[in-house]
Amino acid sequence: MSNYSTNPNLPSRRGFLAAGVAGGVAVAARNARAQDATRQSTATSSPATNSFELSELSLDDLSAAMQASRETARSLSEKYLSQIDAIDQQGPLLKSVIEVNPDALGIADELDAERKAKGPRGPLHGIPVLIKDNIATADRMATTAGSLALVDAKPLDDSFVAKQLRKAGAVILGKTNLSEWANIRSKYSTSGWSGRGGQTRNPYALDRNPCGSSSGSGVAVAASLCAVAVGTETDGSIVCPSAVCGIVGIKPTVGLVSRTGIIPISHSQDTAGPMARTVRDAAIFLGILAGIDPTDEITNTSMDDAHADYTKFLDPQGLNGAKIGVARNHFDFHDGVEAVMTAALDALKQAGATLIDTEDLKIIDQAGSAETTVFEYELKADMAAYLAWLGPKAPMKSLKDLIEFNKANPSQEMPYFGQDFFEKAQEKGPLTDFAYVEALAKCRRLTRTEGIDAVMDKHQLDAIVAPTMGPACMTDLVNGDHWLGGSTSAAAVSGYPSITVPGGFIFGLPLGLSFFGRAWSEPTLIKLAFAFEQATKFRKPPQYLTTATL
């Protein structure tokens, strides 16, 4: 569930027993790679990419269209499905959607009938949404984390996130592609690639990487294949693809959104969160995803801090009088990024914020090896727990089974990179081991007590800002990812919230500005991020260029 880290011991694009693969699945995997190879060099912008009638429409726009009877849940679903076919599976071949819901139109019809009889349930009634393919649904779609190993492992129940969406009246239109296993399988992986879904492509420049692991969710939102999508993050997997795909992403405080039914990496850091084109849409969506889940006790910690409606914190003047720290230790890795971020910081000051430069967060870099240890232990334990949640008929029972599956099917699952991180995690013992307990305590001390909390107390800050990531790197299946820098780990390792907002462009590639802070500070971060968005209006829709404009 993660992507970039300054920690050299982790996969640089982080985020997650069989003798063979069933014939149809194997063919699908080979076809995905063949399509990548034949279409990668010939993709050009399609008229459908620039003339789609739902392009850039917000949740409010879509709801208003249904309220005025200009659209229905069915008509919206049909139009989005048609666009997915036109530019995701054909056209520029974005490959952001791994599977569409065969029941989507029937669900839409039911929601239309309900609207007519009773009125809408709320702001998401009848709205088509996409969710990442590591979020379980007990329907005719698979939940695989992009791996062929789980194609036949059908969940017995919806994830809590899926239940929240259905309760709100959303149409779950399909599932998005991702970095396989949320990019935790290998240190040498390529973001946005999965054995089941192939390689997702950045819509701003098709030869560039979409980051990950929530690659498909970021691309689908950027390309207007939906208004909002759900991503998941362990370290960077929401905010990185949001940043390089020019959208807004919220990585909530761990505990605000339930982890039940989400294929895991680390229960200490895993969370789902909203990805949208505007802060308002992300705020609406966050209120729907949040909730107390009796099967995930960590959500009880949000009892006094969660909100059903985060839109009440949207304030276009929210930066006026704010005191914001500038995490200078996350700057100075690219001259072009530095120039764009200088302009973004100037916009913060012009909107009334006081900026304070700080290098204090350098201490968080000392948590790198400890974070790796935590991931290795928790991946093994949490994966076994998830596979058990699937029920006794699930074909995979443990991380060891997944490793053996990949070894048995290398041409489908390991054509570009291996599973070195899986194998290291398999060697670890139980969560009672001193090495694990010590590493977890170190992570929390360095990132919380001596990190974000200490810096914010010292300077009396409302939030901290930094560039989310550098510009999108080239997709390179031979060498893997090569990201230059970013600021995801502070909020990720601490379990604290972070929001990335479009912060400008370099050579036509989007850059994001991250706002992060204390636990449960989503209201403050939303207020600040919204004010920055309204003051700058940096977002521009993608043009599906073959390569970046130099």
Side-chain angles (χ1 to χ4, degrees), residues 473-529:
C473 65
M474 299 283 284
T475 293
D476 186 348
L477 289 166
V478 176
N479 297 304
D481 288 352
H482 37 93
W483 301 95
L484 298 178
S487 61
T488 68
S489 289
V493 182
S494 64
Y496 289 0
S498 178
I499 302 179
T500 183
V501 182
F505 286 82
I506 176 171
F507 299 116
L509 300 172
L511 296 175
L513 180 70
S514 278
F515 295 76
F516 57 96
R518 305 177 188 273
W520 315 114
S521 63
E522 283 87 352
T524 298
L525 299 183
I526 285 170
K527 178 181 71 172
L528 300 176

Short mmCIF file of all heavy atoms in Angstrom, two decimals, residues 473-529:
data_model
loop_
_atom_site.label_atom_id
_atom_site.label_comp_id
_atom_site.label_asym_id
_atom_site.label_seq_id
_atom_site.Cartn_x
_atom_site.Cartn_y
_atom_site.Cartn_z
N CYS A 473 8.22 9.55 -12.66
CA CYS A 473 9.36 8.97 -13.37
C CYS A 473 8.88 8.18 -14.58
O CYS A 473 7.69 7.89 -14.72
CB CYS A 473 10.17 8.08 -12.43
SG CYS A 473 9.30 6.61 -11.84
N MET A 474 9.80 7.83 -15.45
CA MET A 474 9.46 6.98 -16.59
C MET A 474 9.11 5.58 -16.07
O MET A 474 9.71 5.08 -15.12
CB MET A 474 10.64 6.87 -17.55
CG MET A 474 11.08 8.19 -18.16
SD MET A 474 9.99 8.76 -19.48
CE MET A 474 10.49 7.67 -20.81
N THR A 475 8.14 4.95 -16.70
CA THR A 475 7.85 3.56 -16.36
C THR A 475 8.97 2.69 -16.94
O THR A 475 9.28 2.76 -18.13
CB THR A 475 6.49 3.13 -16.93
OG1 THR A 475 5.46 3.87 -16.26
CG2 THR A 475 6.26 1.65 -16.73
N ASP A 476 9.58 1.88 -16.08
CA ASP A 476 10.74 1.09 -16.47
C ASP A 476 10.61 -0.30 -15.87
O ASP A 476 10.94 -0.54 -14.71
CB ASP A 476 12.02 1.77 -15.98
CG ASP A 476 13.29 1.09 -16.46
OD1 ASP A 476 13.20 -0.04 -16.98
OD2 ASP A 476 14.37 1.69 -16.30
N LEU A 477 10.10 -1.23 -16.66
CA LEU A 477 9.90 -2.60 -16.18
C LEU A 477 11.22 -3.35 -16.03
O LEU A 477 11.26 -4.40 -15.38
CB LEU A 477 8.97 -3.35 -17.12
CG LEU A 477 7.50 -2.89 -17.08
CD1 LEU A 477 6.73 -3.44 -18.27
CD2 LEU A 477 6.85 -3.31 -15.78
N VAL A 478 12.29 -2.84 -16.62
CA VAL A 478 13.59 -3.50 -16.51
C VAL A 478 14.25 -3.16 -15.17
O VAL A 478 14.70 -4.04 -14.44
CB VAL A 478 14.50 -3.10 -17.68
CG1 VAL A 478 15.89 -3.71 -17.50
CG2 VAL A 478 13.89 -3.52 -19.00
N ASN A 479 14.31 -1.87 -14.85
CA ASN A 479 15.02 -1.42 -13.66
C ASN A 479 14.13 -1.11 -12.48
O ASN A 479 14.61 -0.91 -11.37
CB ASN A 479 15.85 -0.17 -14.00
CG ASN A 479 16.91 -0.46 -15.03
OD1 ASN A 479 17.74 -1.34 -14.85
ND2 ASN A 479 16.89 0.28 -16.13
N GLY A 480 12.83 -1.04 -12.70
CA GLY A 480 11.93 -0.66 -11.61
C GLY A 480 11.83 0.84 -11.48
O GLY A 480 12.33 1.61 -12.30
N ASP A 481 11.18 1.28 -10.42
CA ASP A 481 10.93 2.71 -10.20
C ASP A 481 12.21 3.46 -9.83
O ASP A 481 13.14 2.88 -9.26
CB ASP A 481 9.93 2.91 -9.07
CG ASP A 481 8.51 2.52 -9.46
OD1 ASP A 481 8.26 2.24 -10.65
OD2 ASP A 481 7.66 2.51 -8.57
N HIS A 482 12.21 4.74 -10.11
CA HIS A 482 13.33 5.59 -9.70
C HIS A 482 12.79 6.98 -9.36
O HIS A 482 12.95 7.94 -10.11
CB HIS A 482 14.41 5.65 -10.78
CG HIS A 482 13.91 5.66 -12.19
ND1 HIS A 482 13.67 6.81 -12.91
CD2 HIS A 482 13.58 4.63 -13.01
CE1 HIS A 482 13.22 6.51 -14.11
NE2 HIS A 482 13.14 5.18 -14.20
N TRP A 483 12.16 7.07 -8.19
CA TRP A 483 11.62 8.33 -7.69
C TRP A 483 12.72 9.12 -6.99
O TRP A 483 13.59 8.55 -6.34
CB TRP A 483 10.46 8.06 -6.73
CG TRP A 483 9.36 7.29 -7.38
CD1 TRP A 483 9.17 5.94 -7.36
CD2 TRP A 483 8.32 7.82 -8.20
NE1 TRP A 483 8.07 5.59 -8.10
CE2 TRP A 483 7.52 6.73 -8.63
CE3 TRP A 483 7.96 9.11 -8.60
CZ2 TRP A 483 6.40 6.89 -9.44
CZ3 TRP A 483 6.84 9.28 -9.40
CH2 TRP A 483 6.07 8.18 -9.82
N LEU A 484 12.68 10.43 -7.11
CA LEU A 484 13.77 11.27 -6.61
C LEU A 484 13.60 11.69 -5.16
O LEU A 484 14.58 11.88 -4.45
CB LEU A 484 13.90 12.52 -7.50
CG LEU A 484 14.25 12.26 -8.96
CD1 LEU A 484 14.32 13.58 -9.72
CD2 LEU A 484 15.57 11.51 -9.08
N GLY A 485 12.39 11.90 -4.73
CA GLY A 485 12.19 12.38 -3.36
C GLY A 485 10.73 12.50 -3.02
O GLY A 485 9.87 12.42 -3.90
N GLY A 486 10.44 12.70 -1.74
CA GLY A 486 9.06 12.84 -1.31
C GLY A 486 8.97 12.94 0.20
O GLY A 486 9.98 12.85 0.90
N SER A 487 7.74 13.11 0.70
CA SER A 487 7.55 13.39 2.12
C SER A 487 6.51 12.49 2.76
O SER A 487 5.90 12.86 3.77
CB SER A 487 7.13 14.85 2.30
OG SER A 487 5.89 15.12 1.64
N THR A 488 6.29 11.31 2.23
CA THR A 488 5.17 10.49 2.67
C THR A 488 5.37 9.83 4.02
O THR A 488 4.40 9.54 4.73
CB THR A 488 4.86 9.38 1.64
OG1 THR A 488 5.95 8.44 1.62
CG2 THR A 488 4.68 9.96 0.25
N SER A 489 6.60 9.55 4.41
CA SER A 489 6.84 8.67 5.55
C SER A 489 6.48 9.28 6.90
O SER A 489 6.11 8.55 7.82
CB SER A 489 8.30 8.22 5.57
OG SER A 489 8.55 7.30 4.51
N ALA A 490 6.58 10.60 7.05
CA ALA A 490 6.30 11.20 8.35
C ALA A 490 4.88 10.87 8.81
O ALA A 490 4.67 10.35 9.92
CB ALA A 490 6.50 12.71 8.29
N ALA A 491 3.89 11.15 7.97
CA ALA A 491 2.50 10.86 8.33
C ALA A 491 2.23 9.36 8.33
O ALA A 491 1.45 8.87 9.15
CB ALA A 491 1.55 11.59 7.37
N ALA A 492 2.86 8.65 7.40
CA ALA A 492 2.58 7.22 7.27
C ALA A 492 3.04 6.42 8.48
O ALA A 492 2.29 5.63 9.05
CB ALA A 492 3.23 6.68 6.00
N VAL A 493 4.29 6.62 8.88
CA VAL A 493 4.84 5.82 9.98
C VAL A 493 4.19 6.21 11.31
O VAL A 493 3.95 5.36 12.17
CB VAL A 493 6.37 5.98 10.06
CG1 VAL A 493 6.94 5.10 11.18
CG2 VAL A 493 7.01 5.60 8.72
N SER A 494 3.87 7.47 11.47
CA SER A 494 3.21 7.93 12.70
C SER A 494 1.75 7.48 12.76
O SER A 494 1.16 7.40 13.84
CB SER A 494 3.27 9.45 12.80
OG SER A 494 2.55 10.06 11.74
N GLY A 495 1.15 7.20 11.60
CA GLY A 495 -0.28 6.91 11.54
C GLY A 495 -1.13 8.15 11.56
O GLY A 495 -2.34 8.09 11.80
N TYR A 496 -0.53 9.31 11.27
CA TYR A 496 -1.21 10.59 11.30
C TYR A 496 -1.74 10.96 9.91
O TYR A 496 -1.34 10.37 8.91
CB TYR A 496 -0.26 11.67 11.80
CG TYR A 496 0.08 11.59 13.28
CD1 TYR A 496 -0.46 10.60 14.10
CD2 TYR A 496 0.95 12.51 13.87
CE1 TYR A 496 -0.14 10.53 15.45
CE2 TYR A 496 1.26 12.46 15.21
CZ TYR A 496 0.73 11.47 16.01
OH TYR A 496 1.04 11.41 17.35
N PRO A 497 -2.62 11.95 9.81
CA PRO A 497 -3.25 12.27 8.52
C PRO A 497 -2.40 13.13 7.61
O PRO A 497 -1.53 13.89 8.08
CB PRO A 497 -4.52 13.02 8.94
CG PRO A 497 -4.13 13.71 10.21
CD PRO A 497 -3.22 12.74 10.92
N SER A 498 -2.67 13.02 6.32
CA SER A 498 -1.98 13.81 5.31
C SER A 498 -2.91 14.04 4.14
O SER A 498 -3.70 13.16 3.79
CB SER A 498 -0.71 13.07 4.83
OG SER A 498 -0.04 13.78 3.81
N ILE A 499 -2.84 15.22 3.56
CA ILE A 499 -3.63 15.55 2.38
C ILE A 499 -2.69 16.12 1.32
O ILE A 499 -1.91 17.02 1.61
CB ILE A 499 -4.72 16.59 2.68
CG1 ILE A 499 -5.67 16.10 3.77
CG2 ILE A 499 -5.51 16.93 1.42
CD1 ILE A 499 -6.76 17.10 4.14
N THR A 500 -2.77 15.61 0.10
CA THR A 500 -2.03 16.20 -1.00
C THR A 500 -3.00 16.91 -1.93
O THR A 500 -4.08 16.41 -2.21
CB THR A 500 -1.21 15.15 -1.78
OG1 THR A 500 -0.45 15.81 -2.81
CG2 THR A 500 -2.08 14.10 -2.43
N VAL A 501 -2.59 18.11 -2.40
CA VAL A 501 -3.39 18.95 -3.27
C VAL A 501 -2.52 19.34 -4.46
O VAL A 501 -1.30 19.55 -4.31
CB VAL A 501 -3.85 20.23 -2.52
CG1 VAL A 501 -4.73 21.09 -3.41
CG2 VAL A 501 -4.57 19.87 -1.25
N PRO A 502 -3.09 19.43 -5.68
CA PRO A 502 -2.29 19.89 -6.81
C PRO A 502 -1.54 21.18 -6.50
O PRO A 502 -2.14 22.15 -6.02
CB PRO A 502 -3.33 20.09 -7.92
CG PRO A 502 -4.39 19.06 -7.59
CD PRO A 502 -4.46 19.05 -6.09
N GLY A 503 -0.22 21.16 -6.73
CA GLY A 503 0.61 22.30 -6.35
C GLY A 503 1.35 22.94 -7.49
O GLY A 503 2.18 23.84 -7.26
N GLY A 504 1.09 22.51 -8.73
CA GLY A 504 1.77 23.10 -9.87
C GLY A 504 2.22 22.02 -10.84
O GLY A 504 1.92 20.83 -10.66
N PHE A 505 2.96 22.44 -11.86
CA PHE A 505 3.41 21.52 -12.92
C PHE A 505 4.87 21.76 -13.24
O PHE A 505 5.39 22.87 -13.09
CB PHE A 505 2.59 21.72 -14.19
CG PHE A 505 1.19 21.19 -14.13
CD1 PHE A 505 0.17 21.92 -13.53
CD2 PHE A 505 0.88 19.94 -14.65
CE1 PHE A 505 -1.12 21.43 -13.47
CE2 PHE A 505 -0.41 19.43 -14.59
CZ PHE A 505 -1.41 20.18 -14.00
N ILE A 506 5.52 20.70 -13.71
CA ILE A 506 6.87 20.80 -14.25
C ILE A 506 6.91 19.96 -15.53
O ILE A 506 6.58 18.76 -15.49
CB ILE A 506 7.93 20.34 -13.23
CG1 ILE A 506 9.32 20.36 -13.84
CG2 ILE A 506 7.62 18.97 -12.67
CD1 ILE A 506 10.44 20.12 -12.83
N PHE A 507 7.22 20.58 -16.65
CA PHE A 507 7.21 19.91 -17.95
C PHE A 507 5.88 19.20 -18.22
O PHE A 507 5.84 18.11 -18.78
CB PHE A 507 8.37 18.91 -18.06
CG PHE A 507 9.72 19.54 -17.94
CD1 PHE A 507 10.56 19.22 -16.89
CD2 PHE A 507 10.16 20.47 -18.87
CE1 PHE A 507 11.81 19.81 -16.77
CE2 PHE A 507 11.41 21.06 -18.76
CZ PHE A 507 12.25 20.73 -17.71
N GLY A 508 4.79 19.82 -17.79
CA GLY A 508 3.47 19.26 -18.01
C GLY A 508 3.09 18.16 -17.05
O GLY A 508 2.01 17.57 -17.17
N LEU A 509 3.94 17.85 -16.07
CA LEU A 509 3.68 16.79 -15.10
C LEU A 509 3.25 17.41 -13.77
O LEU A 509 3.87 18.34 -13.28
CB LEU A 509 4.94 15.94 -14.88
CG LEU A 509 5.49 15.24 -16.13
CD1 LEU A 509 6.83 14.59 -15.81
CD2 LEU A 509 4.50 14.20 -16.65
N PRO A 510 2.18 16.90 -13.18
CA PRO A 510 1.67 17.49 -11.93
C PRO A 510 2.60 17.24 -10.74
O PRO A 510 3.28 16.21 -10.65
CB PRO A 510 0.34 16.76 -11.71
CG PRO A 510 0.03 16.06 -12.99
CD PRO A 510 1.33 15.79 -13.65
N LEU A 511 2.59 18.20 -9.83
CA LEU A 511 3.25 18.06 -8.54
C LEU A 511 2.21 18.32 -7.45
O LEU A 511 1.28 19.11 -7.64
CB LEU A 511 4.40 19.05 -8.38
CG LEU A 511 5.58 18.89 -9.33
CD1 LEU A 511 6.58 20.03 -9.11
CD2 LEU A 511 6.27 17.55 -9.12
N GLY A 512 2.37 17.67 -6.31
CA GLY A 512 1.44 17.86 -5.21
C GLY A 512 2.11 18.50 -4.01
O GLY A 512 3.31 18.31 -3.77
N LEU A 513 1.34 19.28 -3.26
CA LEU A 513 1.79 19.84 -1.98
C LEU A 513 1.05 19.11 -0.88
O LEU A 513 -0.18 19.03 -0.88
CB LEU A 513 1.48 21.34 -1.91
CG LEU A 513 1.90 22.03 -0.60
CD1 LEU A 513 3.42 22.12 -0.50
CD2 LEU A 513 1.29 23.44 -0.51
N SER A 514 1.80 18.54 0.07
CA SER A 514 1.19 17.80 1.17
C SER A 514 1.05 18.66 2.42
O SER A 514 1.98 19.39 2.79
CB SER A 514 2.03 16.56 1.53
OG SER A 514 1.75 15.49 0.66
N PHE A 515 -0.12 18.55 3.06
CA PHE A 515 -0.38 19.12 4.37
C PHE A 515 -0.52 17.96 5.35
O PHE A 515 -1.36 17.09 5.13
CB PHE A 515 -1.69 19.92 4.37
CG PHE A 515 -1.70 21.14 3.48
CD1 PHE A 515 -1.83 21.01 2.10
CD2 PHE A 515 -1.60 22.41 4.03
CE1 PHE A 515 -1.86 22.12 1.28
CE2 PHE A 515 -1.63 23.54 3.21
CZ PHE A 515 -1.76 23.40 1.83
N PHE A 516 0.29 17.92 6.41
CA PHE A 516 0.13 16.86 7.39
C PHE A 516 0.28 17.42 8.79
O PHE A 516 0.78 18.54 8.98
CB PHE A 516 1.08 15.68 7.12
CG PHE A 516 2.55 16.01 7.08
CD1 PHE A 516 3.35 15.85 8.19
CD2 PHE A 516 3.14 16.44 5.89
CE1 PHE A 516 4.71 16.13 8.14
CE2 PHE A 516 4.50 16.73 5.83
CZ PHE A 516 5.29 16.58 6.96
N GLY A 517 -0.17 16.64 9.78
CA GLY A 517 -0.15 17.14 11.16
C GLY A 517 -0.47 16.07 12.17
O GLY A 517 -0.27 14.88 11.93
N ARG A 518 -1.00 16.49 13.31
CA ARG A 518 -1.26 15.59 14.43
C ARG A 518 -2.36 14.57 14.11
O ARG A 518 -3.11 14.74 13.16
CB ARG A 518 -1.71 16.40 15.64
CG ARG A 518 -0.79 17.51 16.08
CD ARG A 518 -1.43 18.24 17.26
NE ARG A 518 -0.68 19.45 17.62
CZ ARG A 518 0.35 19.45 18.45
NH1 ARG A 518 0.76 18.31 18.99
NH2 ARG A 518 0.97 20.58 18.75
N ALA A 519 -2.46 13.57 14.98
CA ALA A 519 -3.56 12.62 14.87
C ALA A 519 -4.89 13.36 14.95
O ALA A 519 -5.04 14.31 15.72
CB ALA A 519 -3.46 11.58 15.99
N TRP A 520 -5.84 12.92 14.11
CA TRP A 520 -7.22 13.42 14.09
C TRP A 520 -7.32 14.89 13.67
O TRP A 520 -8.32 15.54 13.96
CB TRP A 520 -7.91 13.21 15.45
CG TRP A 520 -7.67 11.86 16.04
CD1 TRP A 520 -6.98 11.57 17.17
CD2 TRP A 520 -8.10 10.61 15.49
NE1 TRP A 520 -6.96 10.21 17.39
CE2 TRP A 520 -7.63 9.60 16.37
CE3 TRP A 520 -8.82 10.23 14.36
CZ2 TRP A 520 -7.87 8.25 16.16
CZ3 TRP A 520 -9.05 8.89 14.14
CH2 TRP A 520 -8.58 7.91 15.03
N SER A 521 -6.31 15.39 12.98
CA SER A 521 -6.35 16.80 12.55
C SER A 521 -6.93 16.96 11.15
O SER A 521 -6.71 17.98 10.49
CB SER A 521 -4.95 17.42 12.62
OG SER A 521 -4.05 16.79 11.72
N GLU A 522 -7.68 15.97 10.67
CA GLU A 522 -8.30 16.08 9.35
C GLU A 522 -9.09 17.37 9.16
O GLU A 522 -8.98 18.00 8.09
CB GLU A 522 -9.22 14.87 9.10
CG GLU A 522 -8.49 13.59 8.73
CD GLU A 522 -8.06 12.76 9.92
OE1 GLU A 522 -8.19 13.27 11.08
OE2 GLU A 522 -7.59 11.64 9.73
N PRO A 523 -9.90 17.83 10.14
CA PRO A 523 -10.63 19.08 9.93
C PRO A 523 -9.72 20.27 9.62
O PRO A 523 -10.01 21.05 8.70
CB PRO A 523 -11.36 19.28 11.27
CG PRO A 523 -11.59 17.88 11.77
CD PRO A 523 -10.33 17.16 11.39
N THR A 524 -8.62 20.40 10.36
CA THR A 524 -7.69 21.51 10.11
C THR A 524 -7.02 21.36 8.76
O THR A 524 -6.89 22.34 8.00
CB THR A 524 -6.61 21.55 11.22
OG1 THR A 524 -7.24 21.80 12.48
CG2 THR A 524 -5.59 22.64 10.94
N LEU A 525 -6.57 20.15 8.43
CA LEU A 525 -5.89 19.93 7.15
C LEU A 525 -6.83 20.19 5.98
O LEU A 525 -6.42 20.76 4.96
CB LEU A 525 -5.34 18.50 7.09
CG LEU A 525 -4.32 18.12 8.16
CD1 LEU A 525 -3.82 16.70 7.92
CD2 LEU A 525 -3.15 19.09 8.19
N ILE A 526 -8.08 19.77 6.10
CA ILE A 526 -9.06 20.01 5.04
C ILE A 526 -9.29 21.51 4.86
O ILE A 526 -9.37 22.02 3.73
CB ILE A 526 -10.37 19.27 5.36
CG1 ILE A 526 -10.19 17.77 5.10
CG2 ILE A 526 -11.54 19.81 4.52
CD1 ILE A 526 -11.33 16.91 5.60
N LYS A 527 -9.39 22.23 5.97
CA LYS A 527 -9.58 23.68 5.90
C LYS A 527 -8.41 24.35 5.16
O LYS A 527 -8.61 25.17 4.26
CB LYS A 527 -9.69 24.26 7.31
CG LYS A 527 -9.85 25.78 7.35
CD LYS A 527 -9.92 26.31 8.77
CE LYS A 527 -8.58 26.22 9.46
NZ LYS A 527 -8.59 26.91 10.79
N LEU A 528 -7.19 23.99 5.53
CA LEU A 528 -6.01 24.60 4.92
C LEU A 528 -5.86 24.19 3.46
O LEU A 528 -5.56 25.02 2.59
CB LEU A 528 -4.76 24.19 5.70
CG LEU A 528 -4.71 24.60 7.18
CD1 LEU A 528 -3.46 24.04 7.84
CD2 LEU A 528 -4.76 26.11 7.34
N ALA A 529 -6.06 22.90 3.18
CA ALA A 529 -5.91 22.41 1.81
C ALA A 529 -6.96 23.03 0.89
O ALA A 529 -6.66 23.37 -0.26
CB ALA A 529 -6.02 20.88 1.79
#
